[in-house]
Structure formats: C-alpha cells, structure tokens
Amino acid sequence: AKSMIQRGNSINKIRNYLGGSGPSFSSANLEVPNIEGNNHRARMRLMVRTPAEFNIEDFQGFIEINKEDINVNFLEETPAVLAGKNNEVVRALIAGIREEGEPVFKRKTGTSDMNLFAQWNCPIVSYAAGDSKLDHTPNEHLNIEEWRRSLRILRSAIRSLVNNISDGNKE
C-alpha cells in the first residue's frame, strides 16, 4: 500500500508543478490516457500538453528529482507553437475569409502539423470548417455548405499566394 501511495503522491506532485486544471492555451495540463497493472506493478502513460513558453528541460529535471520509486521514460516531445499573425499566408487567408464573412482568430490546444512546420521557420496558419469544440468527439460533423465555403476561401487564398509568387518572379 505504501508504494501505491507514493506513486499517487508523485502524480499529485506533477499536477501541482503544472498548475493547470484543464485544457488551456496558456497553461500545462496532465492527462492519463492509459493505466494497466495489477496489485504489484502498474504502468501508465501520461500526456502533458504544454504552452509555448513552457521549459521542458526544467520539467524533466523536476520529474527526475521527484520520481521516487517510479521508472520514467520520456517518449516524445513536440514543442507547442504560437504562430504569428503577420505573414503572407495569414494575409492571403484573411482576404479569402473576408470574401465570405468575418475572420476570427482562435487559439487551439493540441498537436498538429503546425508543431512540425514551425521548426522550419516558414509562415504557418491553420484553417478549417466546422466547430472546433466538436473535434475528435462523437458529435463531430461538418455542414456541407460550410465545407463548400471553406473550399472557396482556400482557393482564393491559394490564388493570392500564387499571384504574389508570380509577381515576385517578374522583378
């Protein structure tokens, strides 16, 4: 029983270190998507989502100091990304959205291809039709007219980018 209490304390220490209590763009949070084991041994996977300014090295040091009798393996690190709003890709997309309505910026938590592209220091933006609150839920769906509207917006943005590239090559 003592070792189970110590393990529980370790998880609580991690939660306290992270501070956040749920999904938020500006705070880290802890999820436990998988636990398996028996009375003598347990294995769990922890997923920690971190904000852009989070110091992963400090967190890993904290885990190392506080792990007690737990074996810890860091399997994957994907740094959080906060993309800039002032680049040619964002401007082209905003122009396309304005042809159909009013643009709204949102901050989304979770891992996407943007986390990978950011390492190349290239302009990035995320855009999609549908209600992002329903993403990856049983109620996720897409209205066909919203989908068609998103295609028109993307076509407009791509045309604008292609024209800017073509105009740039003429100089």
Side-chain angles (χ1 to χ4, degrees), residues 8-9 14 31 39 43-44 49 52 77-78 80-81 84 92 97 101-102 105 107 121 125 129 131 140 143 152:
N9 286 338
I14 293 170
E31 295 178 33
N39 290 339
R43 180 182 203 149
M44 70 176 69
R49 294 193 184 261
E77 294 174 33
T78 307
V81 171
I97 293 170
E102 196 60 34
F105 284 100
R107 289 184 169 184
N121 294 320
V125 66
D131 183 347
E140 183 175 13
N143 175 288
R152 291 190 300 269

Side-chain angles (χ1 to χ4, degrees), residues 6 10 18-19 22 27 31 37-39 53 63 65 72 76-77 87 91 94 99 101 118 123 139 151-152 168 171:
Q6 287 176 329
S10 295
L18 297 174
S27 65
E31 295 178 33
N38 57 37
N39 290 339
E53 65 280 356
I63 295 296
I65 290 168
V72 177
E76 179 182 346
E77 294 174 33
N87 65 60
R91 286 190 292 275
I94 287 174
E99 292 172 13
N139 296 324
L151 292 178
R152 291 190 300 269
E171 294 178 6

Side-chain angles (χ1 to χ4, degrees), residues 63-135:
I63 295 296
E64 189 61 34
I65 290 168
N66 290 284
K67 68 182 185 178
E68 295 167 2
D69 64 341
I70 299 173
N71 293 322
V72 177
N73 297 314
F74 286 87
L75 301 178
E76 179 182 346
E77 294 174 33
T78 307
V81 171
L82 179 58
K85 295 180 185 178
N86 188 20
N87 65 60
E88 61 270 21
V89 176
V90 173
R91 286 190 292 275
L93 188 59
I94 287 174
I97 293 170
R98 284 195 173 126
E99 292 172 13
E100 298 284 333
E102 196 60 34
V104 176
F105 284 100
K106 291 185 177 182
R107 289 184 169 184
K108 294 223 4 124
T109 60
T111 304
S112 71
D113 292 338
M114 289 178 70
N115 298 76
L116 304 173
F117 296 148
Q119 66 187 340
W120 299 332
N121 294 320
C122 62
I124 54 177
V125 66
S126 177
Y127 169 77
D131 183 347
S132 61
K133 288 182 236 133
L134 300 177
D135 287 355

